[in-house]
Amino acid sequence: MRLTGKKVIALVDDEFEDLELWYPVYRVREEGAEVHLAGLEKDKTYVGKYGVPAKAEYSWDELDAADYDGILVPGGWAPDKIRRYSAVLKLVQDFNTAKKPIGQICHAGWVLISAKILGGVTVTSTPGIRDDMENAGAIWKDEAVVTDGHIISARRPPDLPPYGKAFCDALAGE
């Protein structure tokens, strides 16, 4: 259990991509980390694109990056909503400043774009937001998983196995 004692935030909002939230959450938990789901409203149940629920244990406003070791941002349509909140952008910026693992998959890159942390960073995403990523200053690659320092990115659900491993490796400091 190489991640015992580690704590991770997973962001949620309606229309998250079900697999892109739950696969990494369970992957990190199976290695011993504690994962807290956080949304705009504490105790609200958010529903994924395919109907899978996720109950927020915390609101974004309650969280401090200093209390956590990493953050997961799922894809789907939720990132376009999530990126509109200053509390989320500050969290992502604080994780970036501290060089703590930031995992993003598919459309989750929108959150990192709005946090203005992608200048000169090599990433991947769904090809649908490639232009957005590049216009934010990122160097985009069409690869299953791209790790640039503490930022771990993946394209879409078929990339979840290597993405989950890469995020866990980053959390473990490997």
Side-chain angles (χ1 to χ4, degrees):
M1 303 288 275
R2 66 181 173 151
L3 300 181
T4 299
K6 302 281 186 181
K7 289 172 51 179
V8 174
I9 298 167
L11 302 177
V12 295
D13 203 331
D14 286 323
E15 299 186 79
F16 60 85
E17 208 298 336
D18 306 59
L19 286 173
E20 293 171 1
L21 172 69
W22 286 111
Y23 186 106
V25 165
Y26 287 130
R27 179 69 177 84
V28 171
R29 284 178 176 165
E30 77 182 1
E31 293 234 22
E34 185 178 341
V35 181
H36 296 150
L37 303 183
L40 177 61
E41 297 176 47
K42 179 179 183 172
D43 294 325
K44 178 179 177 180
T45 298
Y46 296 90
V47 180
K49 286 171 50 177
Y50 304 106
V52 178
K55 186 175 181 179
E57 302 159 278
Y58 294 92
S59 72
W60 300 321
D61 291 328
E62 304 182 81
L63 301 174
D64 186 336
D67 297 331
Y68 289 86
D69 301 292
I71 188 167
L72 289 164
V73 187
W77 304 126
D80 193 32
K81 300 171 191 178
I82 291 170
R83 69 182 179 159
R84 301 172 193 192
Y85 294 94
S86 59
V88 170
L89 300 181
K90 182 179 182 330
L91 269 176
V92 171
Q93 290 163 348
D94 289 348
F95 274 97
N96 187 59
T97 298
K99 305 289 187 229
K100 293 180 179 180
I102 299 171
Q104 66 96 15
I105 183 168
C106 200
H107 287 84
W110 278 335
V111 176
L112 280 64
I113 288 168
S114 293
K116 298 184 180 1
I117 65 166
L118 290 180
V121 177
T122 302
V123 294
T124 194
S125 67
T126 178
I129 67 166
R130 174 184 180 165
D131 290 347
D132 301 331
M133 301 289 272
E134 290 177 338
N135 288 335
I139 301 155
W140 191 88
K141 294 191 175 194
D142 187 10
E143 296 177 7
V145 175
V146 174
T147 298
D148 187 345
H150 61 286
I151 297 178
I152 303 93
S153 56
R155 296 175 301 194
R156 51 190 164 263
D159 304 326
L160 282 164
Y163 170 64
K165 181 182 182 323
F167 186 79
C168 288
D169 289 349
L171 270 179
E174 299 173 1

